[in-house]
Amino acid sequence: MKRVLLIQCPDSIGLIHKVTSVLLDTSANIVSNHEFVEPRDFVFFMRTEFTGGGDSTNLRDRLISVLPPNSLVEIKNLERPKVVILATKEAHCLGDLLLRARFGELEMDIQAVISNHDTLKDLASDFHIPFHCISHENLDRSDHEIHVSNQIQSYNPDWIILAKYMRILSPEFVSTHKDKMVNIHHSFLPAFIGAKPYEKAYARVVKIVGATAHFVTENLDEGPILVQDVIHVDHADSPERLALFGKDLEKVVLAKAIRILLEHRVMVYENRTIIFD
């Protein structure tokens, strides 16, 4: 079975030799290997796909023994993670993820869709995915989030995908699901944060429309960025047409972000992402 080795540590001479020597000694076969050194803080990052190598715990201990102090070493299996999707009323991102998962373009098991409206219930049902409508009506944000969080935890997902979930999450909710949530944003962050982004873009006569997928943190729309992309537009495009272009882009950007996460190609350093394509 193929596995992925992720290493983050202070840079020093001979790191690659030390790592590959341990892999050789444990009869591991390297399938692919990528490294990067952060040029300001001199931090070394490495992603290695390999087969063999024996027990993961023993292999990790041996690697830590040859690496600098405070090194981070993770060994990941390339298997189908469990995913819960949060959505509201917009169908384009949810529908795209359901379709890609159904036909193997995204290797993940969608456990459930949770929404604060029942608009997308039939869409989830078409794919035989459990749908939970947890209305926010007559509930304050804290109480609503407790209900949503309890439902999420009943599935114990590896990842939580916000597929146009139009609720601002509290720091408490984010901390409960720390490092598990991914969001798709309707613009090329940090531009046009907040409501009516395409009206704002139209008013500025923008020349590009973008989308951003990022990790969710306690700071709204400021989490480490996973994928961004843009398309060119011009003065003749109405806000409605800009929104249509934006929806197309959001689907692709979110799918790319999920794919690199499923393949363990992302490492986070401070508020930045190191992505090995």
Side-chain angles (χ1 to χ4, degrees):
M1 178 180 65
K2 190 186 294 184
R3 289 178 287 174
V4 175
L5 168 64
L6 300 173
I7 294 174
Q8 176 182 331
C9 66
D11 190 31
S12 63
I13 295 174
L15 286 175
I16 297 173
H17 175 72
K18 291 177 181 178
V19 172
T20 55
S21 294
V22 170
L23 292 174
L24 176 63
D25 289 344
T26 55
S27 300
N29 179 51
I30 296 174
V31 178
S32 68
N33 194 67
H34 298 87
E35 315 91 30
F36 169 73
V37 177
E38 202 285 325
R40 293 186 176 180
D41 297 336
F42 303 104
V43 179
F44 175 82
F45 299 87
M46 184 172 179
R47 178 189 185 274
T48 304
E49 289 187 17
F50 68 98
T51 58
D55 178 72
S56 291
T57 300
N58 177 63
L59 178 57
R60 181 178 178 275
D61 290 343
R62 290 192 59 174
L63 288 165
I64 288 176
S65 71
V66 302
L67 292 171
N70 302 317
S71 295
L72 299 178
V73 178
E74 295 181 285
I75 298 174
K76 304 284 191 177
N77 293 326
L78 285 172
E79 56 189 16
R80 293 172 65 89
K82 296 189 296 183
V83 169
V84 166
I85 300 177
L86 304 188
T88 297
K89 292 183 177 181
E90 295 185 64
H92 59 289
C93 285
L94 173 61
D96 186 68
L97 293 176
L98 292 171
L99 196 63
R100 290 177 188 270
R102 166 72 64 86
F103 290 99
E105 293 183 30
L106 291 174
E107 293 289 342
M108 61 185 183
D109 289 327
I110 300 176
Q111 302 290 295
V113 175
I114 300 173
S115 178
N116 57 320
H117 293 273
D118 63 4
T119 307
L120 303 176
K121 181 178 180 179
D122 288 345
L123 175 58
S125 297
D126 287 343
F127 287 84
H128 309 291
I129 301 296
F131 182 89
H132 304 279
C133 179
I134 303 176
S135 175
H136 62 278
E137 298 293 336
N138 302 318
L139 291 175
D140 62 28
R141 183 169 69 166
S142 176
D143 288 338
H144 181 254
E145 287 186 344
I146 289 172
H147 291 301
V148 173
S149 187
N150 288 340
Q151 190 66 72
I152 291 172
Q153 291 175 341
S154 71
Y155 288 99
N156 190 29
D158 299 292
W159 294 105
I160 302 165
I161 303 172
L162 277 59
K164 306 302 293 180
Y165 184 62
M166 307 307 289
R167 299 278 295 172
I168 295 176
L169 301 175
S170 70
E172 292 77 18
F173 184 92
V174 174
S175 64
T176 299
H177 307 285
K178 186 174 177 60
D179 301 326
K180 282 189 172 185
M181 293 194 292
V182 180
N183 186 37
I184 182 66
H185 198 276
H186 47 53
S187 66
F188 194 69
L189 290 175
F192 305 124
I193 293 175
K196 298 183 178 180
Y198 297 109
E199 294 286 351
K200 296 174 182 176
Y202 178 78
R204 291 290 303 275
V205 197
V206 300
K207 305 308 178 190
I208 59 172
V209 167
T212 300
H214 62 95
F215 285 116
V216 178
T217 63
E218 296 178 3
N219 297 319
L220 180 64
D221 295 332
E222 294 184 15
I225 290 172
L226 291 162
V227 177
Q228 291 184 300
D229 204 354
V230 297
I231 55 173
H232 290 273
V233 296
D234 63 31
H235 63 277
D237 294 316
S238 66
E240 294 75 19
R241 194 162 179 81
L242 294 179
L244 182 63
F245 293 157
K247 286 182 178 181
D248 287 342
L249 200 58
E250 286 169 358
K251 292 186 291 187
V252 174
V253 168
L254 181 57
K256 287 181 178 178
I258 300 306
R259 183 172 292 114
I260 60 176
L261 288 174
L262 299 181
E263 296 175 354
H264 305 295
R265 297 184 179 276
V266 182
M267 300 184 73
V268 177
Y269 175 63
E270 295 181 346
N271 201 46
R272 300 173 56 201
T273 49
I274 311 301
I275 297 175
F276 296 104
D277 291 328

